[in-house]
Amino acid sequence: LFSSSATPAETTQQQHKFTMADVSDPEILAAYEDVRSDKTDTNWMVVGYVDGKKNVIGGVTSGSTGLEGFREQLREDQAQFGYVRVETGDEESRRTKFALLTWCGPKVKVLRKAKLSVHKASVKSVLRSYAIEIHGTELSEFNDKTILTAVKKAGGANYVGQTEY
């Protein structure tokens, strides 16, 4: 697989060629920044594997319909990565937190499942700021209550008056 006469740099390049995912699509970074922006209503984005391209991440979709809109994008036969904006707190103290959500549908092929954790590292190089990370294989793992509870736990102080998501 790797040439024994290769230099360390060439070996590293060969290893990345076989293990890392291509996340160079500028739309990924643009959607990430849009979700993070306080100036837009966008509160989720989803990316997945580009059809016909083995390890290329792209196909960005985004919206302002909350976790429900996010869940509508998930496909049983695909592995996808999501980034969502969640607000917690009460009338006096609102906090915005972000979640990185990795989806592996129940009909995803075995080889894709095996590469998912390695490819997630590539995705994290773009979607780099989040309070929580959740991996799900069933839609119920991404319900509003589960996500909000995890965000609250990660956020530290949790006052009785906090409103629900």
Side-chain angles (χ1 to χ4, degrees):
L1 184 62
F2 300 113
S3 169
S4 60
S5 63
T7 67
E10 290 171 333
T11 301
T12 300
Q13 288 175 343
Q14 289 174 344
Q15 289 171 337
H16 284 296
K17 179 179 176 184
F18 293 108
T19 59
M20 302 304 282
D22 177 355
V23 292
S24 63
D25 182 346
E27 289 185 31
I28 299 171
L29 180 59
Y32 166 76
E33 290 173 346
D34 192 34
V35 172
R36 291 194 58 80
S37 175
D38 292 331
K39 297 176 182 174
T40 71
D41 291 333
T42 306
N43 57 17
W44 61 265
M45 65 168 286
V46 176
V47 296
Y49 292 90
V50 175
D51 289 338
K53 297 188 178 182
K54 199 170 173 180
N55 298 327
V56 178
I57 307 291
V60 178
T61 56
S62 61
S64 57
T65 52
L67 287 168
E68 182 178 342
F70 165 78
R71 285 188 298 268
E72 289 173 0
Q73 303 303 311
L74 304 179
R75 303 290 174 253
E76 285 190 342
D77 63 342
Q78 293 185 25
Q80 296 166 288
F81 305 92
Y83 190 74
V84 298
R85 176 187 196 98
V86 179
E87 291 194 16
T88 64
D90 56 26
E91 297 79 31
E92 295 180 26
S93 175
R94 301 294 296 160
R95 290 180 295 284
T96 300
K97 299 290 182 183
F98 300 91
L100 176 66
L101 307 175
T102 305
W103 166 253
C104 187
K107 295 182 181 177
V108 171
K109 294 180 181 178
V110 174
L111 190 54
R112 177 66 72 209
K113 286 180 185 180
K115 292 182 177 183
L116 187 60
S117 64
V118 174
H119 291 172
K120 183 173 22 174
S122 298
V123 172
K124 286 179 174 182
S125 72
V126 180
L127 312 180
R128 54 193 178 276
S129 182
Y130 47 89
I132 63 164
E133 177 180 344
I134 297 176
H135 176 81
T137 57
E138 300 290 331
L139 286 176
S140 61
E141 294 172 276
F142 294 140
N143 69 56
D144 293 19
K145 184 176 182 179
T146 300
I147 302 295
L148 185 61
T149 300
V151 167
K152 283 181 180 179
K153 284 181 181 179
N158 183 11
Y159 302 104
V160 177
Q162 288 185 336
T163 57
E164 293 300 315
Y165 180 71

